[in-house]
Amino acid sequence: MGWILVLAALPATASVGLERWRAASGRDAPAVAEEGYILVDAARRLAAQRPDLLWVDARAETDFMEDHIEGAVHLPLSAWDAGFAELLARWSPDVPVVVYCDSQACAASEKVAERLRAELGVDNVWALQGGWKTWRETEAEQ
């Protein structure tokens, strides 16, 4: 019974977080797939509307060096201090942040997004649903 109540509260929790971001930024919040995640199409629209959007790549350094979204900050959990310092140099509370890792099976983006929300004290941080793989697959459609 307790799990049912928790699961029922999740959409409301996401809605409250988005409402706080909307009120604080004066902007419409992007479409989310579920709490803490943003769909690739919504992330692309948000990036077009907000050129200051901050991309965060949570993948391994070798993957980041091979290719990444232009302007992304490299912030894997294993190198948090160095990446977090770079992020802070480019971030302000009203700047939306989208974190990505390899694919939907990778949990790094979710963990990094959660830590960023906690350490920055903001709600406008999302993990990219589908990650880098989905981003690249849909790139040709743009």
Side-chain angles (χ1 to χ4, degrees):
M1 181 70 169
W3 283 105
I4 294 171
L5 292 175
V6 170
L7 292 174
L10 284 178
T13 303
S15 177
V16 169
L18 292 175
E19 288 303 320
R20 280 194 306 191
W21 182 76
R22 184 178 287 128
S25 69
R27 296 184 167 98
D28 289 333
V32 293
E34 57 185 82
E35 181 182 6
Y37 286 90
I38 186 169
L39 299 168
V40 170
D41 290 345
R44 288 185 192 282
R45 285 192 304 275
L46 183 60
Q49 296 168 357
R50 295 289 309 266
D52 60 340
L53 181 141
L54 191 53
W55 294 101
V56 174
D57 190 324
R59 299 176 303 151
E61 184 173 2
T62 54
D63 294 329
F64 178 79
M65 296 302 286
E66 184 178 313
D67 198 9
H68 56 270
I69 296 174
E70 185 177 343
V73 173
H74 185 229
L75 183 59
L77 289 171
S78 61
W80 185 264
D81 292 339
F84 191 64
E86 181 183 350
L87 180 131
L88 287 177
R90 297 173 46 194
W91 174 83
S92 66
D94 70 322
V95 171
V97 178
V98 177
V99 183
Y100 63 93
C101 58
D102 284 322
S103 67
Q104 191 64 34
C106 174
S109 61
E110 181 181 351
K111 291 175 183 176
V112 168
E114 286 175 3
R115 187 165 176 185
L116 285 173
R117 282 191 291 272
E119 291 194 23
L120 299 174
V122 297
D123 294 320
N124 59 340
V125 178
W126 299 277
L128 184 66
Q129 185 162 16
W132 177 250
K133 181 179 178 185
T134 302
W135 177 266
R136 294 298 296 203
E137 288 171 353
T138 60
E139 202 168 34
E141 299 170 10
Q142 300 303 312

Short mmCIF file of all heavy atoms in Angstrom, two decimals, residues 99-136:
data_model
loop_
_atom_site.label_atom_id
_atom_site.label_comp_id
_atom_site.label_asym_id
_atom_site.label_seq_id
_atom_site.Cartn_x
_atom_site.Cartn_y
_atom_site.Cartn_z
N VAL A 99 21.54 16.81 -18.47
CA VAL A 99 22.63 15.85 -18.27
C VAL A 99 22.37 14.62 -19.14
O VAL A 99 21.25 14.14 -19.21
CB VAL A 99 22.70 15.41 -16.79
CG1 VAL A 99 23.89 14.48 -16.57
CG2 VAL A 99 22.76 16.62 -15.86
N TYR A 100 23.41 14.14 -19.80
CA TYR A 100 23.25 12.92 -20.59
C TYR A 100 24.40 11.96 -20.34
O TYR A 100 25.49 12.34 -19.93
CB TYR A 100 23.13 13.24 -22.09
CG TYR A 100 24.34 13.88 -22.71
CD1 TYR A 100 25.32 13.10 -23.33
CD2 TYR A 100 24.52 15.26 -22.68
CE1 TYR A 100 26.42 13.69 -23.92
CE2 TYR A 100 25.62 15.85 -23.26
CZ TYR A 100 26.58 15.07 -23.88
OH TYR A 100 27.68 15.65 -24.45
N CYS A 101 24.11 10.68 -20.57
CA CYS A 101 25.14 9.64 -20.56
C CYS A 101 24.94 8.80 -21.82
O CYS A 101 24.37 9.29 -22.79
CB CYS A 101 25.12 8.82 -19.27
SG CYS A 101 23.58 8.00 -18.90
N ASP A 102 25.38 7.56 -21.83
CA ASP A 102 25.37 6.77 -23.06
C ASP A 102 23.99 6.46 -23.63
O ASP A 102 23.74 6.67 -24.81
CB ASP A 102 26.12 5.45 -22.85
CG ASP A 102 27.62 5.66 -22.85
OD1 ASP A 102 28.11 6.49 -23.63
OD2 ASP A 102 28.30 5.01 -22.04
N SER A 103 23.12 5.91 -22.79
CA SER A 103 21.83 5.44 -23.29
C SER A 103 20.84 5.37 -22.13
O SER A 103 21.17 5.69 -21.00
CB SER A 103 21.97 4.07 -23.94
OG SER A 103 22.30 3.10 -22.95
N GLN A 104 19.66 4.90 -22.44
CA GLN A 104 18.64 4.74 -21.41
C GLN A 104 19.08 3.74 -20.34
O GLN A 104 18.69 3.86 -19.18
CB GLN A 104 17.31 4.28 -22.04
CG GLN A 104 16.14 4.35 -21.09
CD GLN A 104 15.81 5.78 -20.66
OE1 GLN A 104 15.96 6.72 -21.42
NE2 GLN A 104 15.36 5.93 -19.43
N ALA A 105 19.92 2.80 -20.70
CA ALA A 105 20.39 1.79 -19.75
C ALA A 105 21.42 2.35 -18.78
O ALA A 105 21.69 1.76 -17.74
CB ALA A 105 20.98 0.60 -20.50
N CYS A 106 22.00 3.49 -19.09
CA CYS A 106 23.02 4.11 -18.26
C CYS A 106 22.35 4.98 -17.19
O CYS A 106 21.49 5.80 -17.50
CB CYS A 106 23.92 4.98 -19.14
SG CYS A 106 25.13 5.93 -18.23
N ALA A 107 22.74 4.80 -15.95
CA ALA A 107 22.14 5.56 -14.84
C ALA A 107 22.98 6.77 -14.44
O ALA A 107 22.59 7.53 -13.55
CB ALA A 107 21.94 4.64 -13.65
N ALA A 108 24.12 6.99 -15.09
CA ALA A 108 25.01 8.08 -14.69
C ALA A 108 24.34 9.44 -14.80
O ALA A 108 24.50 10.29 -13.92
CB ALA A 108 26.29 8.05 -15.52
N SER A 109 23.58 9.68 -15.87
CA SER A 109 22.95 10.99 -16.02
C SER A 109 21.94 11.25 -14.91
O SER A 109 21.84 12.36 -14.40
CB SER A 109 22.29 11.13 -17.39
OG SER A 109 21.28 10.16 -17.57
N GLU A 110 21.20 10.23 -14.54
CA GLU A 110 20.23 10.38 -13.46
C GLU A 110 20.94 10.71 -12.14
O GLU A 110 20.52 11.61 -11.41
CB GLU A 110 19.41 9.10 -13.30
CG GLU A 110 18.38 9.17 -12.21
CD GLU A 110 17.60 7.88 -12.07
OE1 GLU A 110 17.74 6.98 -12.90
OE2 GLU A 110 16.84 7.79 -11.09
N LYS A 111 22.03 10.02 -11.85
CA LYS A 111 22.77 10.25 -10.61
C LYS A 111 23.41 11.64 -10.59
O LYS A 111 23.36 12.34 -9.58
CB LYS A 111 23.84 9.18 -10.42
CG LYS A 111 23.25 7.82 -10.11
CD LYS A 111 24.32 6.75 -10.04
CE LYS A 111 23.69 5.38 -9.81
NZ LYS A 111 24.68 4.31 -9.84
N VAL A 112 23.98 12.05 -11.72
CA VAL A 112 24.59 13.38 -11.80
C VAL A 112 23.50 14.45 -11.68
O VAL A 112 23.68 15.45 -10.97
CB VAL A 112 25.41 13.54 -13.10
CG1 VAL A 112 25.80 14.99 -13.33
CG2 VAL A 112 26.66 12.66 -13.04
N ALA A 113 22.37 14.27 -12.36
CA ALA A 113 21.29 15.24 -12.28
C ALA A 113 20.76 15.36 -10.85
O ALA A 113 20.53 16.48 -10.36
CB ALA A 113 20.15 14.86 -13.25
N GLU A 114 20.59 14.25 -10.18
CA GLU A 114 20.14 14.27 -8.79
C GLU A 114 21.12 15.03 -7.91
O GLU A 114 20.73 15.85 -7.08
CB GLU A 114 19.96 12.85 -8.25
CG GLU A 114 18.75 12.14 -8.77
CD GLU A 114 18.68 10.68 -8.31
OE1 GLU A 114 19.55 10.24 -7.52
OE2 GLU A 114 17.76 9.98 -8.75
N ARG A 115 22.40 14.75 -8.09
CA ARG A 115 23.42 15.43 -7.27
C ARG A 115 23.45 16.93 -7.58
O ARG A 115 23.59 17.74 -6.67
CB ARG A 115 24.78 14.78 -7.51
CG ARG A 115 25.84 15.31 -6.57
CD ARG A 115 27.07 14.45 -6.56
NE ARG A 115 28.09 15.06 -5.72
CZ ARG A 115 29.32 14.60 -5.59
NH1 ARG A 115 29.67 13.49 -6.21
NH2 ARG A 115 30.20 15.22 -4.82
N LEU A 116 23.32 17.29 -8.85
CA LEU A 116 23.30 18.71 -9.21
C LEU A 116 22.09 19.41 -8.59
O LEU A 116 22.22 20.52 -8.05
CB LEU A 116 23.29 18.89 -10.73
CG LEU A 116 24.62 18.64 -11.42
CD1 LEU A 116 24.44 18.68 -12.94
CD2 LEU A 116 25.67 19.65 -10.98
N ARG A 117 20.91 18.79 -8.68
CA ARG A 117 19.72 19.39 -8.07
C ARG A 117 19.94 19.62 -6.57
O ARG A 117 19.59 20.66 -6.03
CB ARG A 117 18.48 18.53 -8.30
CG ARG A 117 17.90 18.67 -9.70
CD ARG A 117 16.53 18.01 -9.82
NE ARG A 117 16.59 16.56 -9.74
CZ ARG A 117 16.79 15.75 -10.78
NH1 ARG A 117 16.93 16.24 -11.99
NH2 ARG A 117 16.83 14.44 -10.61
N ALA A 118 20.55 18.64 -5.91
CA ALA A 118 20.78 18.74 -4.46
C ALA A 118 21.84 19.80 -4.15
O ALA A 118 21.62 20.65 -3.27
CB ALA A 118 21.22 17.38 -3.91
N GLU A 119 22.97 19.79 -4.85
CA GLU A 119 24.06 20.71 -4.54
C GLU A 119 23.79 22.13 -4.99
O GLU A 119 24.23 23.08 -4.35
CB GLU A 119 25.38 20.19 -5.10
CG GLU A 119 25.85 18.94 -4.38
CD GLU A 119 27.30 18.59 -4.66
OE1 GLU A 119 28.09 19.46 -5.05
OE2 GLU A 119 27.64 17.40 -4.44
N LEU A 120 23.06 22.28 -6.10
CA LEU A 120 22.76 23.62 -6.60
C LEU A 120 21.47 24.18 -5.99
O LEU A 120 21.23 25.37 -6.03
CB LEU A 120 22.65 23.61 -8.12
CG LEU A 120 23.91 23.19 -8.89
CD1 LEU A 120 23.60 23.09 -10.38
CD2 LEU A 120 25.05 24.17 -8.63
N GLY A 121 20.63 23.29 -5.48
CA GLY A 121 19.37 23.72 -4.88
C GLY A 121 18.36 24.24 -5.89
O GLY A 121 17.58 25.14 -5.58
N VAL A 122 18.36 23.66 -7.09
CA VAL A 122 17.43 24.08 -8.14
C VAL A 122 16.70 22.86 -8.71
O VAL A 122 17.13 21.73 -8.53
CB VAL A 122 18.15 24.84 -9.29
CG1 VAL A 122 18.76 26.13 -8.78
CG2 VAL A 122 19.21 23.98 -9.95
N ASP A 123 15.60 23.12 -9.42
CA ASP A 123 14.81 22.06 -10.03
C ASP A 123 15.01 21.97 -11.54
O ASP A 123 14.54 21.03 -12.16
CB ASP A 123 13.32 22.28 -9.76
CG ASP A 123 12.98 22.15 -8.30
OD1 ASP A 123 13.53 21.25 -7.64
OD2 ASP A 123 12.17 22.95 -7.82
N ASN A 124 15.67 22.96 -12.15
CA ASN A 124 15.77 22.99 -13.60
C ASN A 124 16.97 22.21 -14.12
O ASN A 124 17.73 22.66 -14.96
CB ASN A 124 15.78 24.44 -14.11
CG ASN A 124 16.93 25.25 -13.55
OD1 ASN A 124 17.51 24.92 -12.52
ND2 ASN A 124 17.25 26.34 -14.22
N VAL A 125 17.11 20.99 -13.60
CA VAL A 125 18.15 20.05 -14.03
C VAL A 125 17.45 18.75 -14.40
O VAL A 125 16.72 18.19 -13.59
CB VAL A 125 19.18 19.79 -12.90
CG1 VAL A 125 20.22 18.77 -13.36
CG2 VAL A 125 19.84 21.08 -12.45
N TRP A 126 17.68 18.29 -15.63
CA TRP A 126 17.03 17.07 -16.11
C TRP A 126 18.04 16.12 -16.71
O TRP A 126 19.05 16.54 -17.26
CB TRP A 126 15.99 17.40 -17.18
CG TRP A 126 14.91 18.28 -16.69
CD1 TRP A 126 13.79 17.91 -16.00
CD2 TRP A 126 14.82 19.70 -16.85
NE1 TRP A 126 13.02 19.01 -15.72
CE2 TRP A 126 13.62 20.13 -16.22
CE3 TRP A 126 15.62 20.67 -17.45
CZ2 TRP A 126 13.22 21.45 -16.18
CZ3 TRP A 126 15.22 21.99 -17.41
CH2 TRP A 126 14.03 22.36 -16.78
N ALA A 127 17.74 14.84 -16.64
CA ALA A 127 18.51 13.81 -17.34
C ALA A 127 17.84 13.61 -18.70
O ALA A 127 16.61 13.57 -18.80
CB ALA A 127 18.51 12.51 -16.54
N LEU A 128 18.64 13.51 -19.74
CA LEU A 128 18.14 13.33 -21.09
C LEU A 128 17.69 11.89 -21.29
O LEU A 128 18.50 10.96 -21.22
CB LEU A 128 19.22 13.69 -22.11
CG LEU A 128 18.83 13.63 -23.57
CD1 LEU A 128 17.78 14.71 -23.89
CD2 LEU A 128 20.06 13.84 -24.44
N GLN A 129 16.40 11.70 -21.51
CA GLN A 129 15.89 10.34 -21.70
C GLN A 129 16.45 9.75 -22.99
O GLN A 129 16.37 10.35 -24.05
CB GLN A 129 14.37 10.31 -21.74
CG GLN A 129 13.86 8.90 -21.79
CD GLN A 129 12.40 8.80 -21.40
OE1 GLN A 129 11.69 9.79 -21.35
NE2 GLN A 129 11.96 7.61 -21.11
N GLY A 130 17.05 8.58 -22.86
CA GLY A 130 17.64 7.91 -24.02
C GLY A 130 19.12 8.22 -24.17
O GLY A 130 19.83 7.52 -24.87
N GLY A 131 19.59 9.30 -23.55
CA GLY A 131 21.00 9.65 -23.55
C GLY A 131 21.60 9.96 -24.91
O GLY A 131 20.90 10.30 -25.87
N TRP A 132 22.92 9.84 -24.96
CA TRP A 132 23.69 10.16 -26.16
C TRP A 132 23.23 9.34 -27.37
O TRP A 132 23.13 9.86 -28.48
CB TRP A 132 25.17 9.90 -25.87
CG TRP A 132 26.09 10.12 -27.03
CD1 TRP A 132 26.76 9.16 -27.73
CD2 TRP A 132 26.43 11.37 -27.62
NE1 TRP A 132 27.51 9.74 -28.73
CE2 TRP A 132 27.32 11.10 -28.69
CE3 TRP A 132 26.08 12.69 -27.38
CZ2 TRP A 132 27.87 12.10 -29.48
CZ3 TRP A 132 26.62 13.69 -28.17
CH2 TRP A 132 27.50 13.39 -29.21
N LYS A 133 22.94 8.08 -27.14
CA LYS A 133 22.52 7.21 -28.25
C LYS A 133 21.27 7.76 -28.92
O LYS A 133 21.22 7.89 -30.15
CB LYS A 133 22.28 5.79 -27.73
CG LYS A 133 21.86 4.81 -28.80
CD LYS A 133 21.65 3.43 -28.23
CE LYS A 133 21.20 2.49 -29.34
NZ LYS A 133 20.87 1.17 -28.84
N THR A 134 20.27 8.11 -28.15
CA THR A 134 19.03 8.65 -28.72
C THR A 134 19.27 10.02 -29.35
O THR A 134 18.72 10.34 -30.40
CB THR A 134 17.93 8.73 -27.65
OG1 THR A 134 17.72 7.42 -27.12
CG2 THR A 134 16.62 9.26 -28.20
N TRP A 135 20.11 10.82 -28.72
CA TRP A 135 20.45 12.14 -29.27
C TRP A 135 21.02 12.00 -30.67
O TRP A 135 20.61 12.68 -31.61
CB TRP A 135 21.45 12.85 -28.35
CG TRP A 135 21.92 14.17 -28.86
CD1 TRP A 135 23.03 14.41 -29.60
CD2 TRP A 135 21.27 15.43 -28.69
NE1 TRP A 135 23.13 15.75 -29.89
CE2 TRP A 135 22.05 16.40 -29.34
CE3 TRP A 135 20.11 15.83 -28.04
CZ2 TRP A 135 21.71 17.74 -29.37
CZ3 TRP A 135 19.77 17.18 -28.06
CH2 TRP A 135 20.56 18.10 -28.72
N ARG A 136 21.99 11.08 -30.83
CA ARG A 136 22.62 10.86 -32.11
C ARG A 136 21.66 10.26 -33.14
O ARG A 136 21.67 10.63 -34.31
CB ARG A 136 23.85 9.94 -31.97
CG ARG A 136 24.99 10.54 -31.17
CD ARG A 136 25.53 11.78 -31.82
NE ARG A 136 26.10 11.40 -33.09
CZ ARG A 136 27.02 12.08 -33.74
NH1 ARG A 136 27.47 13.18 -33.24
NH2 ARG A 136 27.48 11.67 -34.88
#
